[in-house]
């Protein structure tokens, strides 16, 4: 930043126009689905001032350590920073989304019938244990008396989509990016898990947001991305007991 300001000063002295982009350092929790991350940060590239974004993906704890020493301007995560942390952080709720199960066309057509009971004992791709989405899903499975056959667990949501595209199983996706998943990857929706919601947060080192790019991220997420009302695609149903149709 110091060197960049020095260059601006030299350009000003020489009466040359400057076009130094606005730099923003964004930490993205590795548990955050890539499609959600992209939709959250996309508005910064429509700002009037050119933007140079540096996106770093890591464990939330590692990102918060960098946030504490101002190496990051913002951290995007699917859960708030723990209150027991020795560093000072501020959680800004961006919004929440329902969860929809998706799969490639053939498997989606099969599982769409009698959803959500159709998921019982069927092949499933899930995020790893300990993530916010996995905890939410485990609770929902228990409530619905559904026991899917977990084929694989992934830290990387992008790799999970590759496995799903090969037909290895269905997978959960935040409903807010369902349209993008269908358009971009050709997946089909099976059904929305009614009552199963995930939240998304922006975590900063300052209470008051002043960075233009950070303001664009938070205002768009709250006012546009997560502003749509959630309408469950399928009412919750219990799995039929053994011997029942």
């Amino acid at each position: 930043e110091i060197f960049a300001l020095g260059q601006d000063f030299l350009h000003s002295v020489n009466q040359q126009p400057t076009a130094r982009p606005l730099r923003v350092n964004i930490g993205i929790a590795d548990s955050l689905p890539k499609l959600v991350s992209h939709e959250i940060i996309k508005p910064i590239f429509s700002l009037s001032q050119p933007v140079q974004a540096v996106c770093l993906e890591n464990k939330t704890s590692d990102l918060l350590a960098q946030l504490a020493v101002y190496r990051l301007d913002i951290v995007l995560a699917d859960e708030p920073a723990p209150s027991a942390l020795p560093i000072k952080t501020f959680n800004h709720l961006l919004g929440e989304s329902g969860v929809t199960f998706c799969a490639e066309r053939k498997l989606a057509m099969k599982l769409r019938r009698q959803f959500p009971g159709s998921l019982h004992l069927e092949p499933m791709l899930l995020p790893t244990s300990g993530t916010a989405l996995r905890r939410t899903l485990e609770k929902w499975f228990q409530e619905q008396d559904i026991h899917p056959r977990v084929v694989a667990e992934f830290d990387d949501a992008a790799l999970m989509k590759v496995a799903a595209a090969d037909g290895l199983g269905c997978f959960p996706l935040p409903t807010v990016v369902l349209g993008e998943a269908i358009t971009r990857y050709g997946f089909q929706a099976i059904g929305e898990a009614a009552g199963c919601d995930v939240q998304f947060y922006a975590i900063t080192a300052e209470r008051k947001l002043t960075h233009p790019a950070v303001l664009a991220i938070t205002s768009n997420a709250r006012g546009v991305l997560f502003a749509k009302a959630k309408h469950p695609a399928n009412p919750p149903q219990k799995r039929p007991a053994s011997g029942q149709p």
Side-chain angles (χ1 to χ4, degrees), residues 5 8 23 46 61 65 84 89 101 109 135 188 208 228 242:
L5 289 171
D8 278 356
R23 185 182 177 93
S46 299
S61 56
T89 58
F101 289 93
M109 290 179 63
R135 290 194 298 269
Q188 292 193 11
K208 185 176 181 181
K228 300 175 184 177
S242 177

Side-chain angles (χ1 to χ4, degrees), residues 47-127:
L47 293 174
S48 58
Q49 181 178 357
V51 171
Q52 180 185 355
V54 179
C55 301
L56 304 176
E57 185 179 77
N58 209 331
K59 299 290 183 185
T60 303
S61 56
D62 295 331
L63 295 174
L64 293 178
Q66 295 189 57
L67 180 70
V69 293
Y70 296 93
R71 291 177 182 167
L72 295 174
D73 298 298
I74 186 175
V75 171
L76 303 177
D78 54 0
E79 54 188 339
S83 58
L85 281 179
I87 58 178
K88 190 175 183 180
T89 58
F90 297 92
N91 298 306
H92 309 271
L93 178 63
L94 298 178
E96 64 179 15
S97 170
V99 176
T100 296
F101 289 93
C102 301
E104 54 83 29
R105 183 185 63 83
K106 186 176 180 180
L107 182 59
M109 290 179 63
K110 172 188 174 184
L111 298 181
R112 196 174 291 145
R113 297 188 293 270
Q114 296 185 342
F115 176 86
S118 59
L119 300 178
H120 185 66
L121 299 180
E122 291 295 332
M124 181 80 66
L125 310 175
L126 291 175

Side-chain angles (χ1 to χ4, degrees), residues 3 5 11 15 24 29 38 41 70 80 82 85 88 98-99 102 115 124 132-133 137 150 159 191 208 214 233 244:
F3 285 121
L5 289 171
H11 284 302
Q15 295 183 344
V24 56
H38 174 66
I41 68 173
Y70 296 93
L85 281 179
K88 190 175 183 180
V99 176
C102 301
F115 176 86
M124 181 80 66
L133 178 56
L137 286 169
V150 181
L159 182 58
K208 185 176 181 181
V214 173
Q244 294 183 3

Side-chain angles (χ1 to χ4, degrees), residues 14-231:
N14 295 325
Q15 295 183 344
Q16 297 176 4
T18 63
R20 185 167 65 92
L22 176 68
R23 185 182 177 93
V24 56
N25 298 303
I26 305 171
I28 302 174
D30 55 7
S31 58
L32 203 65
K34 304 298 185 293
L35 283 177
V36 176
S37 305
H38 174 66
E39 289 299 315
I40 290 176
I41 68 173
K42 190 163 62 173
I44 68 176
F45 302 107
S46 299
L47 293 174
S48 58
Q49 181 178 357
V51 171
Q52 180 185 355
V54 179
C55 301
L56 304 176
E57 185 179 77
N58 209 331
K59 299 290 183 185
T60 303
S61 56
D62 295 331
L63 295 174
L64 293 178
Q66 295 189 57
L67 180 70
V69 293
Y70 296 93
R71 291 177 182 167
L72 295 174
D73 298 298
I74 186 175
V75 171
L76 303 177
D78 54 0
E79 54 188 339
S83 58
L85 281 179
I87 58 178
K88 190 175 183 180
T89 58
F90 297 92
N91 298 306
H92 309 271
L93 178 63
L94 298 178
E96 64 179 15
S97 170
V99 176
T100 296
F101 289 93
C102 301
E104 54 83 29
R105 183 185 63 83
K106 186 176 180 180
L107 182 59
M109 290 179 63
K110 172 188 174 184
L111 298 181
R112 196 174 291 145
R113 297 188 293 270
Q114 296 185 342
F115 176 86
S118 59
L119 300 178
H120 185 66
L121 299 180
E122 291 295 332
M124 181 80 66
L125 310 175
L126 291 175
T128 53
S129 299
T131 60
L133 178 56
R134 180 63 179 270
R135 290 194 298 269
T136 301
L137 286 169
E138 293 288 2
K139 180 182 178 183
W140 185 80
F141 287 143
Q142 185 177 11
E143 291 172 349
Q144 300 299 318
D145 193 23
I146 293 172
H147 303 280
R149 179 166 58 88
V150 181
V151 175
E153 302 177 38
F154 297 88
D155 265 334
D156 188 344
L159 182 58
M160 183 163 62
K161 291 183 183 66
V162 173
D166 279 343
L168 295 183
C170 64
F171 71 100
L173 182 77
T175 308
V176 70
V177 290
L178 175 62
E180 191 72 13
I182 292 173
T183 302
R184 186 170 296 196
Y185 300 105
F187 291 117
Q188 292 193 11
I190 298 169
E192 187 171 2
C196 184
D197 298 315
V198 287
Q199 296 181 323
F200 300 96
Y201 291 85
I203 306 172
T204 62
E206 303 291 345
R207 183 188 301 274
K208 185 176 181 181
L209 305 180
T210 58
H211 194 295
V214 173
L215 287 170
I217 287 173
T218 55
S219 62
N220 184 80
R222 291 167 175 167
V224 180
L225 184 59
F226 295 107
K228 300 175 184 177
K230 298 187 295 296
H231 299 288

